[in-house]
Amino acid sequence: MSIWVTILIGTLCVLFAFAALCLLLLALLHVRYRLAWHGTWGGTASEQDGSVRLEFGFPGFMHKWGWERSGTEAPPSPAPKNHSKPETPKTAVSATPVTATPAKPVKASAAESVPKPLPERAPFKTADPPPQPAAPLTDPNRYRKALFRLATDGPAWELLVRYGFRSVVRFYKLLGPRLEIAIGHPDPAFLGRTAGHWYAVSPLLPLGETIVGFRFQDRAPTLRVRAEGGFSGLTLLLFCVNSVVTFPLIGIGRRAWLGWRRREMTGWRAFAYRRIQAL
């Protein structure tokens, strides 16, 4: 076995060990969150409380961060108004009147009174008209037309909407929230109707692990929502890689190529493009 093969095998082993170590660290890195919100409405008064808890780090070395908001904030008191009248500056007035002395007329001399003859003007020469620029061989707005065609292309938007919907579902699965909702109201009939609507609609909603409770003992309408969950660094890396790989780049590129070939617009596209160009 030559020395170069040995060096190559050693380099691959080092890279493999480094990648395995990075994946292990990402798998041990965890992020946990907890969100809570509580609202009460009683007549004209209402109170809202909320809190956010975040933990991130490795097992045994977790860092915590939190934020809380309780009660209602009082509006700032207006600044006191100053009712004192501003003082007007006093200007000193001279008691003695000032009389202006008339200026003496200046007599022009005889030599200055004779008008001087105007200098002779050179004969007017007509200049040659400037050369007209040659008409461009290509349309200077072809890139704008192709981009507008792509922006108003229905199949391209359909591809982006499907990709966005799949990305939202994957992001929700990444967070993996466990929801707890508590609804309170002093009217039992209202809570009964709300419970019936919820149990009829809940199988159609992809909410995962969700617990909904109804509080009949509350004397005012209340709503409590709490969500908690977490994810690891490895699952976040897989989510990013999956989002990049599943992006419909080929489909968007095909629609862009068709828009470039058919950039001459007609109908409502031509009307909208002219209106945008006129702005």
Side-chain angles (χ1 to χ4, degrees), residues 11-63:
T11 305
L12 292 178
C13 292
V14 171
L15 293 177
F16 180 77
F18 180 75
L21 179 61
C22 291
L23 292 178
L24 179 61
L25 293 177
L26 288 176
L28 294 176
L29 178 63
H30 280 78
V31 177
R32 301 188 184 96
Y33 63 90
R34 181 178 180 181
L35 312 176
W37 182 83
H38 171 221
T40 303
W41 299 270
T44 57
S46 62
E47 297 181 359
Q48 298 181 13
D49 303 335
S51 63
V52 178
R53 294 287 186 273
L54 186 65
E55 298 181 2
F56 55 92
F58 298 95
F61 302 93
M62 301 294 290
H63 299 276

Side-chain angles (χ1 to χ4, degrees), residues 166-261:
R166 291 194 298 266
S167 299
V168 170
V169 173
R170 286 195 300 266
F171 185 71
Y172 185 83
K173 292 181 179 180
L174 170 68
L175 297 179
R178 295 181 295 275
L179 299 177
E180 295 183 6
I181 304 174
I183 303 174
H185 200 273
D187 186 7
F190 175 80
L191 285 180
R193 291 192 300 268
T194 305
H197 296 332
W198 167 253
Y199 288 120
V201 176
S202 58
L204 305 177
L205 301 178
L207 297 180
E209 186 178 352
T210 304
I211 301 175
V212 179
F214 300 93
R215 299 172 57 88
F216 294 89
Q217 66 272 22
D218 292 346
R219 297 183 178 181
T222 60
L223 177 63
R224 294 179 175 89
V225 180
R226 187 175 66 178
E228 57 183 3
F231 56 91
S232 64
L234 183 59
T235 56
L236 179 61
L237 177 62
L238 295 177
F239 168 78
C240 296
V241 172
N242 193 9
S243 299
V244 173
V245 171
T246 58
F247 184 79
L249 183 61
I250 298 177
I252 296 297
R254 185 185 298 110
R255 301 307 304 179
W257 173 248
L258 292 177
W260 172 262
R261 295 181 57 184

Side-chain angles (χ1 to χ4, degrees), residues 68-125:
E68 290 185 1
R69 179 185 181 276
S70 60
T72 56
E73 298 181 358
S77 58
K81 298 182 180 180
N82 189 8
H83 298 282
S84 59
K85 296 182 180 181
E87 298 181 358
T88 56
K90 298 180 180 180
T91 57
V93 181
S94 177
T96 57
V98 179
T99 57
T101 56
K104 297 181 180 181
V106 180
K107 296 181 180 181
S109 59
E112 293 178 354
S113 60
V114 179
K116 297 181 180 180
L118 299 175
E120 296 182 359
R121 296 181 178 179
F124 180 76
K125 296 181 180 180

